[in-house]
């Protein structure tokens, strides 16, 4: 019976690790500098949640390299290992690059209030608290991802007819906004008007989850507003204008059109629909922003007016309980209808797949409406299906890509990309990052994988809302990536460039022979293998290419390991650097820095030594890669 908990624990760990793709992960050691808040499991709207840690790890180059870790907080409302990290904790973390993590992991909500947008993001596969002294026994070098930046346009130019239709639509939108701005009433104290309207309204008030709500049920749909809601203007909205203009210019360079799809705040819609005094409310700040962006060639789709004139027969426009402003199927259908009109200018061919809608039950917390309305008429939401199977938006292979935080992923399989797929008749791709942090994720990933994101893409639909953090200027970041690529050239050496010789090994017998043979078979992709049960020594060298034989600055050589046996004692020696580094059981790489004076010989020689005293458990080590960095 005692073995059952162990098996369950192993199963849990296996399931947890399987949520990540099988790309290589790396261990790093360091200190938690700053930790974001993790919401209480019972109160959070999502059953799964990650949080973030600003992490300073010990590097062979510097001791204060910082990254942003995305750490698992809880799953199915239960805390998982690593959910209790505090500022100042020393940690051993198995990390994986953001680009390597599986899409299901990236879609988990992130409780993020650090705002460290300048740091590279890594996912923590596992986290273990360690002692301070242990951190500085395990220096590693964790390079940034290579930037895949195209110097020429990825796609062919859009047809003239498409660009003409786009320009015409934007001119019409600009005329509407200018007309609204001219008609705005002057010197209206909307804050006082709003509070007065709430005070004298006869709308029913109900309690739910310890909060009070105004309710309104009309033939057009169901409306709900927190009784203590504040003045519903956009005074606190993040100003993303500079970031959107830069993103539009960047996409235009690659012949991709940007459409900014704005999801309005639900309290603005509810207030204008519930209170007659608020019917003619318009946010001057928001209209001025749209006017400026349109004048800078940024296409905007704002469906506030269409939602207020809602007549499409869907009961729910937003998720209202607990002040949840996510769009429900009503708003998604209205937004998709307007975007469908815009996409018709491209004449995208139908895919040949059969797209249709199916019905599935609403999530349970949507029963708030049913509970308080009494005459709730619709208890189903639409689900996109393709060829009679549930359709989930693909990340690539589509001419249209929806980029959004959770505002574009609701409600489930009736999300914006799915609804557009049903309407347009071809799969619409989606890059979704819940938890509000689409900006950092999208810009970083785009710069690292331009071709993966934009090849054969004609339109990027960027879902914008008040909860966006400020959008980073992609042009500035692109220039920084290019500079990094120029001053840190990464060079992988092929096996033909590595010369090895194996010193005499003790004979393998019994279990040791079988283990060694299995290791060689499983690690055949290793460049260098060293196996022993006594002492083994392998000497290998690399021939530097001509352009690196006379460097003006220091040269860095990183040696990465495929595997180390538990308890092995191993060393790597670099005679040119007059240095030998002991390899610990959990190390994944070592780093040698050589000065120009130490590089007189174009052939760099290294010695790998391994020791083990048991014939039953031989020492086995493999080197998977050798990387050279030059200034």
């Amino acid at each position: 019976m005692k073995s059952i908990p162990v098996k369950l624990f192993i199963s849990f760990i296996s399931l947890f690790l399987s949520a990540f793709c099988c790309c290589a992960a790396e261990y790093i050691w360091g200190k938690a500098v700053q930790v974001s808040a993790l919401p209480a499991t019972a109160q959070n709207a999502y059953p799964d949640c990650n949080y973030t840690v600003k992490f300073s790890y010990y590097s062979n180059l510097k001791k204060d390299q910082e990254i942003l870790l995305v750490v698992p907080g809880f799953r199915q409302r239960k805390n998982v290992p690593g959910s209790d990290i505090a500022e100042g904790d020393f940690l051993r973390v198995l990390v994986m690059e953001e680009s390597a993590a599986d899409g299901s992991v990236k879609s988990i909500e992130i409780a993020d209030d650090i705002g460290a947008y300048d740091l590279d993001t890594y996912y923590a596969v596992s986290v273990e608290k360690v002692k301070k002294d242990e951190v500085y026994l395990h220096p590693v070098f964790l390079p940034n991802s290579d930037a895949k930046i195209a110097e020429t346009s990825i796609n062919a130019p859009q047809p003239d007819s498409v660009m003409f239709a786009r320009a015409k639509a934007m001119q019409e939108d600009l005329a509407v906004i200018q007309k609204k701005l001219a008609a705005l009433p002057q010197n209206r104290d909307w804050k006082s008007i709003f509070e007065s309207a709430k005070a004298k309204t006869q709308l029913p008030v109900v309690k739910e989850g310890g909060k009070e709500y105004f309710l309104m049920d009309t033939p057009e749909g169901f409306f709900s507003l927190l009784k203590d809601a504040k003045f519903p203007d956009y005074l606190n909205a993040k100003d993303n204008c500079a970031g959107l203009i830069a993103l539009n210019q960047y996409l235009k360079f690659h012949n991709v059109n940007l459409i900014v799809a704005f999801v309005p705040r639900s309290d603005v819609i509810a207030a204008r629909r519930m209170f007659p005094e608020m019917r003619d409310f318009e946010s001057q700040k928001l209209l001025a922003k749209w006017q400026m962006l349109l004048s800078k060639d940024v296409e905007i789709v704002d469906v506030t007016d269409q939602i207020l004139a809602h007549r499409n027969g869907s009961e729910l426009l937003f998720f209202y309980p607990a002040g949840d402003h996510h769009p429900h199927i009503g708003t998604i259908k209205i937004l998709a209808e307007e975007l469908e009109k815009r996409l018709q200018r491209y004449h995208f061919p139908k895919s040949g797949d059969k797209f249709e809608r199916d019905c599935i039950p609403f999530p349970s917390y949507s029963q708030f409406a049913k509970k308080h309305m009494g005459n709730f008429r619709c208890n189903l939401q639409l689900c996109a299906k393709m060829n009679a199977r549930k359709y989930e938006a693909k990340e690539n292979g589509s001419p249209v890509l929806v980029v959004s935080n959770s505002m574009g992923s609701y409600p489930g399989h009736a999300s914006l990309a799915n609804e557009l797929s049903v309407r347009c008749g071809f799969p619409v791709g989606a890059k979704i990052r819940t938890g509000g942090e689409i900006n950092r994720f999208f810009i970083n990933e785009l710069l690292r994988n331009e071709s993966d994101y934009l090849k054969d893409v004609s339109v990027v639909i960027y879902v914008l809302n008040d909860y966006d953090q400020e959008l980073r200027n992609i042009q500035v970041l692109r220039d920084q990536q290019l500079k990094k690529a120029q001053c840190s050239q990464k060079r992988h050496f092929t096996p033909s460039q590595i010369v090895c010789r194996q010193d005499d090994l003790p004979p393998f017998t019994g279990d040791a022979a079988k283990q060694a043979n299995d290791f060689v078979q499983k690690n055949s992709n290793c460049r260098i293998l060293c196996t022993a049960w006594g002492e083994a020594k392998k000497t290998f060298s690399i021939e530097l290419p001509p352009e690196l034989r006379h460097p003006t600055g220091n040269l860095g050589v990183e040696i990465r390991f495929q595997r180390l046996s538990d308890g092995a004692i191993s060393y790597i020696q670099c005679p040119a650097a007059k240095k030998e580094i002991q390899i610990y059981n959990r190390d994944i790489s070592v780093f040698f820095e050589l000065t120009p004076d130490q590089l007189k010989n174009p052939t760099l020689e290294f010695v790998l030594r391994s020791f083990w005293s048991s014939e039953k458990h031989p020492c086995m080590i493999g080197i998977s890669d050798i990387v050279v960095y030059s200034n």
Side-chain angles (χ1 to χ4, degrees):
M1 294 296 293
K2 292 183 179 180
S3 63
I4 294 177
V6 175
K7 290 181 179 179
L8 289 174
F9 177 75
I10 293 173
S11 298
F12 171 77
I13 294 298
S14 299
L15 286 171
F16 177 70
L17 293 177
S18 67
F20 295 84
C21 73
C22 59
C23 298
E26 302 186 21
Y27 277 109
I28 56 176
W29 288 257
K31 179 180 179 181
V33 178
Q34 187 178 355
V35 181
S36 72
L38 182 64
T41 57
Q43 300 173 1
N44 198 46
Y46 307 89
D48 302 332
C49 187
N50 294 334
Y51 67 112
T52 52
V53 175
K54 185 188 287 187
F55 187 70
S56 176
Y57 69 92
Y58 183 42
S59 166
N60 296 75
L61 299 183
K62 296 180 181 178
K63 292 186 179 180
D64 58 352
Q65 295 285 309
E66 287 190 343
I67 58 174
L68 190 69
L69 287 178
V70 179
V71 182
F74 52 83
R75 298 291 183 268
Q76 296 301 311
R77 303 196 182 282
K78 293 184 179 179
N79 288 335
V80 297
S83 62
D84 59 344
I85 297 174
E87 192 173 304
D89 283 347
F90 292 92
L91 309 170
R92 170 183 180 249
V93 187
L94 181 63
V95 298
M96 179 174 290
E97 287 184 294
E98 188 175 39
S99 59
D102 185 81
S104 62
V105 175
K106 293 179 181 179
S107 66
I108 295 173
E109 180 202 13
I110 298 178
D112 189 0
D113 44 332
I114 289 180
Y117 308 123
D118 56 327
L119 300 180
D120 287 316
T121 301
Y122 290 81
Y123 277 82
V125 181
S126 65
V127 181
E128 174 189 355
K129 293 185 180 181
V130 298
K131 296 179 181 178
K132 178 179 179 180
D133 293 341
E134 187 175 350
V135 169
Y136 302 108
L137 292 175
H138 302 280
V140 297
F141 181 73
L142 187 63
N144 293 332
S145 300
D146 288 336
K148 299 178 181 177
I149 296 176
E151 297 183 3
T152 58
S153 178
I154 292 174
N155 300 306
Q158 301 276 5
D160 291 342
S161 59
V162 169
M163 303 309 294
F164 177 82
R166 176 180 178 274
K168 182 180 178 182
M170 292 174 63
Q171 289 173 0
E172 293 172 352
D173 292 340
L174 187 58
V176 170
I177 288 172
Q178 289 171 337
K179 185 177 179 180
K180 282 186 175 184
L181 281 169
L184 279 181
Q186 300 298 315
N187 302 319
R188 296 290 295 274
D189 184 359
W190 288 111
K191 181 177 180 179
S192 297
I193 293 171
F194 179 63
E195 295 300 328
S196 174
K198 288 199 300 180
K200 68 180 184 181
T201 185
Q202 299 299 312
L203 289 172
V205 176
V206 300
K207 288 187 177 181
E208 182 76 19
K211 298 181 180 181
E212 292 185 318
Y213 297 84
F214 292 113
L215 294 185
M216 185 177 190
D217 182 18
T218 73
E220 306 159 15
F222 166 65
F223 298 88
S224 171
L225 178 68
L226 278 170
K227 190 176 180 181
D228 61 355
K230 303 302 180 184
F231 174 54
D233 198 1
Y234 296 87
L235 300 179
N236 297 320
K238 295 286 185 181
D239 187 355
N240 282 307
C241 292
L244 288 172
I245 292 169
L247 178 61
N248 186 62
Q249 292 172 341
Y250 167 82
L251 293 175
K252 188 190 297 185
F253 172 75
H254 289 301
N255 294 311
V256 178
N257 288 164
L258 172 68
I259 300 178
V260 177
F262 179 69
V263 177
R265 287 173 51 157
S266 65
D267 52 7
V268 173
I269 300 297
R272 291 182 62 177
R273 189 64 189 84
M274 289 177 159
F275 309 131
E277 301 91 332
M278 299 295 296
R279 295 287 167 85
D280 61 345
F281 166 75
E282 293 280 3
S283 170
Q284 184 174 8
K285 178 178 180 179
L286 193 64
L287 290 175
K289 180 188 287 189
W290 293 166
Q291 182 184 42
M292 189 273 287
L293 287 171
L294 284 165
S295 68
K296 298 291 186 180
D297 195 43
V298 180
E299 185 173 8
I300 301 289
V301 172
D302 183 349
V303 292
T304 300
D305 291 343
Q306 290 91 322
I307 293 175
L308 289 168
H310 166 59
R311 289 289 189 281
N312 67 6
S314 178
E315 292 284 337
L316 296 181
L317 294 167
F318 294 91
F319 284 100
Y320 294 107
D324 192 336
H325 299 275
H326 286 104
H328 217 308
I329 187 61
T331 293
I332 290 297
K333 287 172 66 177
I334 292 169
L335 184 57
E337 182 179 3
E338 182 58 34
L339 288 169
E340 181 189 10
K341 298 174 186 175
R342 310 273 174 147
L343 294 178
Q344 286 175 356
R345 70 174 72 123
Y346 298 90
H347 303 290
F348 294 129
K350 303 283 186 179
S351 68
D353 294 303
K354 183 182 179 183
F355 285 91
E356 58 186 350
R357 294 183 180 91
D358 198 0
C359 293
I360 58 175
F362 274 131
S364 59
Y365 57 94
S366 292
Q367 300 305 317
F368 170 85
K370 184 176 182 179
K371 174 181 176 182
H372 294 294
M373 289 167 62
N375 61 341
F376 188 58
R377 296 173 291 280
C378 177
N379 62 357
L380 297 174
Q381 76 176 25
L382 296 176
C383 169
K385 294 183 73 175
M386 180 177 70
N387 299 331
R389 296 189 304 273
K390 184 172 66 177
Y391 167 69
E392 297 188 31
K394 306 299 180 184
E395 291 192 350
N396 50 35
S398 172
V400 178
L401 178 65
V402 174
V403 176
S404 177
N405 56 20
S406 59
M407 288 300 201
S409 66
Y410 275 60
H413 295 293
S415 65
L416 180 59
N418 296 60
E419 178 66 16
L420 282 173
S421 299
V422 173
R423 288 175 174 272
C424 298
F426 60 84
V428 170
K431 288 284 186 181
I432 303 295
R433 174 72 171 268
T434 60
E437 291 303 315
I438 184 61
N439 299 327
R440 179 185 65 243
F441 165 72
F442 174 57
I443 298 300
N444 284 352
E445 287 293 282
L446 185 56
L447 285 175
R448 290 172 183 164
N449 304 283
E450 284 185 314
S451 295
D452 292 343
Y453 266 78
L454 300 180
K455 182 63 176 173
D456 299 325
V457 171
S458 296
V459 182
V460 167
I461 297 173
Y462 187 94
V463 180
L464 180 70
N465 51 80
D466 267 4
Y467 313 103
D468 275 349
Q469 298 295 326
E470 191 166 355
L471 185 63
R472 303 172 71 188
N473 190 313
I474 193 169
Q475 302 285 20
V476 173
L477 294 175
R478 187 175 187 272
D479 290 342
Q480 292 175 357
Q481 290 275 35
L482 286 171
K483 290 178 181 177
K484 282 184 181 179
Q486 291 169 358
C487 69
S488 182
Q489 302 168 15
K490 181 185 277 191
R491 301 180 182 275
H492 289 261
F493 287 83
T494 63
S496 62
Q497 293 174 285
I498 301 174
V499 181
C500 303
R501 72 173 186 267
Q502 176 79 60
D503 292 303
D504 291 336
L505 291 176
F508 284 99
T509 60
D511 292 342
K514 184 178 184 306
Q515 289 183 48
N517 182 66
D518 290 344
F519 178 76
V520 172
Q521 293 295 323
K522 292 177 181 179
N523 296 278
S524 59
N525 60 324
C526 286
R527 308 287 173 82
I528 304 161
L529 292 171
C530 188
T531 56
W533 61 265
E535 175 180 355
K537 184 169 68 173
K538 174 166 277 189
T539 303
F540 60 95
S541 59
I542 59 173
E543 191 78 12
L544 293 176
E547 63 268 27
L548 291 182
R549 292 180 183 178
H550 304 286
T552 56
N554 291 358
L555 201 69
V557 179
E558 181 189 9
I559 301 175
R560 298 177 178 177
F561 306 121
Q562 181 80 7
R563 173 182 168 184
L564 279 172
S565 302
D566 290 338
I569 304 173
S570 303
Y571 298 86
I572 285 190
Q573 183 185 87
C574 179
K578 298 180 180 179
K579 187 176 182 181
E580 185 174 66
I581 298 178
Q582 183 172 353
I583 310 167
Y584 292 85
N585 301 337
R586 296 176 295 189
D587 280 351
I588 47 81
S589 70
V590 298
F591 187 83
F592 293 97
E593 188 171 9
L594 297 101
T595 66
D597 290 340
Q598 295 170 332
L599 294 168
K600 295 176 181 178
N601 192 330
T603 301
L604 285 177
E605 186 173 271
F606 301 88
V607 180
L608 172 61
R609 296 192 296 137
S610 298
F611 300 87
W612 194 250
S613 57
S614 169
E615 186 175 346
K616 281 192 168 235
H617 303 288
C619 169
M620 292 174 283
I621 181 174
I623 294 178
S624 62
D625 222 342
I626 299 175
V627 187
V628 174
Y629 300 87
S630 65
N631 293 324

